[in-house]
Amino acid sequence: MKEQNMELVLPSKEQIEWADCEIGVIIHLDLVTFAKKNYNFRRHWKKPLSPDLFNPEYLNTDQWIEAAAKMGAKYAILVAKHCTGFCLWPTKAYDYSVATSPWKNGKGDIVRDFIDSCNKYGVKPGLYYSSYCNQYLKADNGRVLSNDKYEQERYNSIVIKQLTELWGNYGKLFEIWFDGGCLPVEEGGPDIVSLLHKLQPDANVFQGPEGTKSLLRWVGNEKAHAPENCSSIFNFKVMRETGTTEYDGSGDTHGDTWCPAESDRPNREAPSIQGGWFWQKGEEKYIVPPQELYEMYINSVGRNTNMLIGMGIDKNGLFPKEDVDQFNQFSKLIKENFTDELFSAEIKPDCISYLLKAPKNIKSKYVVLQEDISYGELVEEFIIFADSKEYYKGKIIGHKRIIPVSASEIEIKITKYKTSPKLKAIKLY
Ligand code: IPT
């Protein structure tokens, strides 16, 4: 086979570390948690919620992070400021935060507690900050509603001040989350890129501004459902030229930037407005069944993306018992299916064909394929033969593919590649 002559797009060290994590959690607790049902956290300009509402009396970040770590999450992202504008740390930029709430008489700092718990349980910490939406300061899509130039400048300087606090005062962050991205400087937004380079140059940045070293993209839905062949490479050039802001969930293996997809999903399927991210009283019945969560794992981690599961903290400041149960059962399913392999192929350099055999009278459930992505995403096409019949033709392997297949003998053939593929593992379960 002729090798094509092309420059390979490679991940940063941090992006490799990120892919190895596979599962993370994103934690929501805000004034919204204390608001009435169906409070629309994105469009409620008239009357911002009062900080007096915020008093999660038994708040215990160890309890959250322990549950996440036991479930298998290797990183956790705390939503430090969602669309209400209320901050979970005592920001000095304005008076709408834990510092002006009754919780701990205004002396608490949930971001600090969260980081300490992450360190305690060996979970990598990340922070979400919405620079796009703020009901307290009345801004949407990063623009102030008043459309006033000076208001916009004031808004931008508050964003920079708060990000300086978040990125400067709590140590190294593994991932930074921009929900919906951030308004570029050319369009009147704050200069986030230089601040990132200065304070958190090594962070993986979800929907971050172009020019950031380690970018991550959204998979395009909140169901943790990745497209079958999901490349870790994205084509920003085409996006710029066509002016489209639509997310092509599949990426483009011939694109220009390593920017893998993160597949997010709340752990509850709540019918409330954009529900499931925030805890609401009486919504236990909407907890996603562990089996369904497990299928999502196959369709996200098993399709070369990371799975990011939402955790809604309740009014007391705890991750509810029912949700902890769901996490435990979900991780049990992963362990049951993926602890002992039936067969593990010996990876040989330049080898593009592997035969896997299950022990006598046993049929496989899954085949797991992995490339060593430090060399890039090299495979362009592969075929799986199950008991000698062509069973599946795929395009992308990347960090991990999990393909359900029931057979006693499996053959894998790499039929197209950029340069000689560097595989990491081929296993049968
Ligand atoms: C949605 C944002 O528009 C998108 O850019 C991404 O950040 C996503 O959230 C993450 O879940 S908003 C949601 C209401 C679909």
Side-chain angles (χ1 to χ4, degrees):
M1 206 168 312
K2 208 164 153 269
E3 297 204 345
Q4 298 157 41
N5 191 5
M6 61 176 85
E7 221 182 288
L8 292 171
V9 175
L10 299 175
S12 67
K13 193 170 122 268
E14 291 75 22
Q15 284 168 320
I16 297 174
E17 203 187 321
W18 181 85
D20 283 335
C21 288
E22 298 187 350
I23 300 178
V25 290
I26 182 159
I27 304 172
H28 286 72
L29 168 70
D30 184 25
L31 285 175
V32 172
T33 309
F34 302 82
K36 290 212 190 76
K37 245 193 170 60
N38 292 334
Y39 174 86
N40 185 340
F41 59 75
R42 276 179 210 271
R43 302 241 177 300
H44 209 103
W45 313 109
K46 289 203 184 100
K47 210 170 161 250
L49 295 164
S50 164
D52 291 346
L53 292 171
F54 193 86
N55 197 6
E57 255 186 285
Y58 303 99
L59 186 128
N60 178 353
T61 51
D62 275 0
Q63 188 259 352
W64 316 347
I65 303 302
E66 190 185 350
K70 274 198 182 151
M71 179 271 282
K74 299 286 186 282
Y75 61 103
I77 293 155
L78 174 67
V79 176
K81 170 199 165 292
H82 203 257
C83 300
T84 58
F86 183 80
C87 297
L88 296 190
W89 79 102
T91 176
K92 296 204 171 71
Y94 57 53
D95 61 354
Y96 196 59
S97 76
V98 282
T100 49
S101 81
W103 180 65
K104 289 194 169 176
N105 294 317
K107 299 272 179 289
D109 181 347
I110 300 177
V111 173
R112 174 76 60 211
D113 295 350
F114 161 78
I115 301 275
D116 289 349
S117 299
C118 285
N119 291 336
K120 180 165 166 190
Y121 291 94
V123 170
K124 299 174 207 294
L127 295 174
Y128 164 121
Y129 174 93
S130 173
S131 69
Y132 242 37
C133 188
N134 194 322
Q135 278 150 45
Y136 185 62
L137 295 176
K138 302 196 171 40
D140 196 14
N141 284 325
R143 293 188 174 87
V144 292
L145 297 192
S146 64
N147 231 334
D148 178 276
K149 190 165 157 261
Y150 298 102
E151 274 288 293
Q152 183 70 48
E153 275 169 20
R154 192 176 144 249
Y155 181 78
N156 290 352
S157 72
I158 287 174
V159 169
I160 293 294
K161 190 157 188 208
Q162 294 189 327
L163 287 178
T164 306
E165 292 170 348
L166 280 181
W167 297 348
N169 297 344
Y170 298 95
K172 206 171 155 164
L173 300 171
F174 181 63
E175 182 168 334
I176 285 170
W177 238 74
F178 285 110
D179 199 349
C182 27
L183 190 67
V185 182
E186 311 83 74
E187 292 173 38
D191 181 8
I192 285 172
V193 184
S194 351
L195 194 68
L196 257 173
H197 283 167
K198 198 168 109 202
L199 297 178
Q200 294 286 344
D202 294 331
N204 291 291
V205 191
F206 178 87
Q207 293 187 325
E210 255 188 273
T212 310
K213 183 175 71 175
S214 305
L215 286 170
L216 307 173
R217 70 179 199 272
W218 187 36
V219 80
N221 61 71
E222 294 186 341
K223 299 251 174 235
H225 190 100
E228 235 174 275
N229 289 288
C230 188
S231 171
S232 294
I233 303 174
F234 193 74
N235 208 326
F236 280 98
K237 190 164 167 271
V238 167
M239 197 176 84
R240 245 179 276 120
E241 280 165 2
T242 57
T244 166
T245 52
E246 290 300 310
Y247 289 91
D248 175 8
S250 308
D252 175 0
T253 197
H254 297 289
D256 46 42
T257 310
W258 194 276
C259 179
E262 188 162 45
S263 301
D264 59 339
R265 129 118 265 164
N267 82 321
R268 295 182 175 202
E269 184 79 81
S272 51
I273 291 172
Q274 293 164 8
W277 291 114
F278 290 98
W279 175 88
Q280 290 259 307
K281 196 170 163 209
E283 289 193 339
E284 290 68 35
K285 54 181 178 290
Y286 299 120
I287 291 177
V288 177
Q291 180 63 35
E292 240 175 80
L293 218 50
Y294 172 74
E295 279 148 28
M296 288 165 195
Y297 166 84
I298 302 293
N299 290 334
S300 55
V301 173
R303 291 179 173 181
N304 189 36
T305 71
N306 275 15
M307 183 180 190
L308 187 68
I309 308 171
M311 290 172 71
I313 304 305
D314 70 12
K315 256 183 154 157
N316 289 323
L318 298 168
F319 188 51
K321 189 189 147 296
E322 296 84 348
D323 301 68
V324 175
D325 287 347
Q326 174 211 42
F327 270 24
N328 290 339
Q329 288 172 42
F330 165 60
S331 71
K332 212 172 130 217
L333 285 170
I334 297 181
K335 282 195 198 101
E336 272 168 21
N337 283 289
F338 293 105
T339 305
D340 297 314
E341 67 250 18
L342 300 174
F343 191 95
S344 173
E346 189 198 326
I347 304 296
K348 295 187 211 99
D350 298 327
C351 179
I352 51 167
S353 161
Y354 290 89
L355 190 66
L356 322 177
K357 286 182 179 175
K360 217 170 171 224
N361 299 327
I362 295 186
K363 279 200 189 273
S364 65
K365 251 176 114 175
Y366 299 104
V367 56
V368 174
L369 309 173
Q370 290 193 277
E371 284 185 81
D372 179 347
I373 58 170
S374 63
Y375 294 96
E377 196 173 82
L378 300 178
V379 174
E380 290 181 296
E381 188 189 81
F382 63 95
I383 304 176
I384 297 179
F385 297 87
D387 293 329
S388 308
K389 282 195 217 64
E390 182 169 327
Y391 170 77
Y392 180 80
K393 194 185 247 179
K395 287 185 178 149
I396 303 291
I397 296 181
H399 168 74
K400 189 176 264 187
R401 282 298 296 272
I402 304 175
I403 296 156
V405 52
S406 164
S408 38
E409 209 179 88
I410 304 271
E411 201 182 352
I412 316 284
K413 282 193 174 148
I414 314 286
T415 42
K416 246 178 108 186
Y417 45 81
K418 295 175 187 168
T419 69
S420 184
K422 302 271 189 266
L423 297 164
K424 188 158 128 188
I426 299 187
K427 290 181 178 178
L428 210 57
Y429 288 91

